[in-house]
Amino acid sequence: MNKISLQLQDLQKRIGERNDKDWIDDHCEKLFWAETDGLFHVEFYGDSFDDSFMEFSHLLCRPEVAASIKSLVFRGPDEGANGTKSWDFTTLLRSDTMFPNLTSFFVEPTQPHHHNQSIIGAAYEEKGMIASLTAKMPRIQSLTVPAAPNDTFFTNAKENLSWLRIETGYDHQNFIYNLSQSASLPNLTFLDFGDYCQTYLENYRANCTPFTHYVELFKSAAFAKISYFRLRNPSLSQEQLQELKKLKRDLQFHIVYESGNYVE
């Protein structure tokens, strides 16, 4: 067993010791990994605000560990505060450590049955955290995050990024419009975008992505290579969706409606 495996195994043991024997599986924290050609696919499952997540973050800050990571996955139980599950990667961002071999970064999106909204950020705001994270991942090919990045996400070229799934979270941050104006993702072929979906709020549609932003995207050079676009929970009429489709007839354009609401 090599040095990286030993470090992962040591943390895995400590995480396991924190679990109570009477807890159901969904509440037990876990660390999984698999090694392929000397690089590691690693998945953390746990609370985003507990000691295990912090320990894992510190482990990832070690240059020899970060250089050995091929993919990272973050998942956890439906736990949070005030209806929010916030993944705060400040510890990673304070480090100078890079992830030169990482090609896939995945943070679990909010599922329809969840009652805590997953986001990325300190407190309730993203504030460029996704842009700062991906700047540490020069070879990233696949990105899934439960919050829309702000405009700084587009300041650095991501030549290898071909697969992108974005969930808006609490603020779409003009992501669709910013993408339409950007040349920083020249090889993007798959886009999955979940619009603002806080349907329990009055006038929530006012916070959804405007139709005009989608029009700008469909007409843009940034959309030229995209062959598949999955749009989740759009606040658009069927007529508007058809109008978009006419702008790019060869596009696989998939609409998904998924939201959970309590009966009151």
Side-chain angles (χ1 to χ4, degrees), residues 143-163:
L143 176 66
T144 297
V145 286
N150 69 6
D151 56 356
T152 60
F153 178 77
F154 300 97
T155 58
N156 295 318
K158 298 171 178 61
E159 299 285 347
N160 299 305
L161 190 63
S162 60
W163 204 104

Side-chain angles (χ1 to χ4, degrees), residues 171-229:
D171 187 350
H172 64 68
Q173 300 207 97
N174 292 319
F175 174 80
I176 291 296
Y177 179 79
N178 290 334
L179 175 58
S180 75
Q181 303 300 301
S182 173
S184 63
L185 282 71
N187 293 303
L188 187 65
T189 58
F190 179 99
L191 176 62
D192 184 324
F193 178 72
D195 206 351
Y196 184 84
C197 196
Q198 308 302 314
T199 56
Y200 59 92
L201 295 175
E202 266 191 67
N203 299 319
Y204 85 93
R205 293 180 185 276
N207 294 310
C208 295
T209 301
F211 173 62
T212 54
H213 289 195
Y214 290 111
V215 172
E216 289 291 329
L217 178 64
F218 272 65
K219 290 181 175 179
S220 70
F223 209 56
K225 286 191 176 182
I226 293 178
S227 59
Y228 187 101
F229 180 33

Side-chain angles (χ1 to χ4, degrees), residues 37 41 58 82 186 216:
D37 293 331
H41 304 273
H58 283 296
N82 299 319
E216 289 291 329

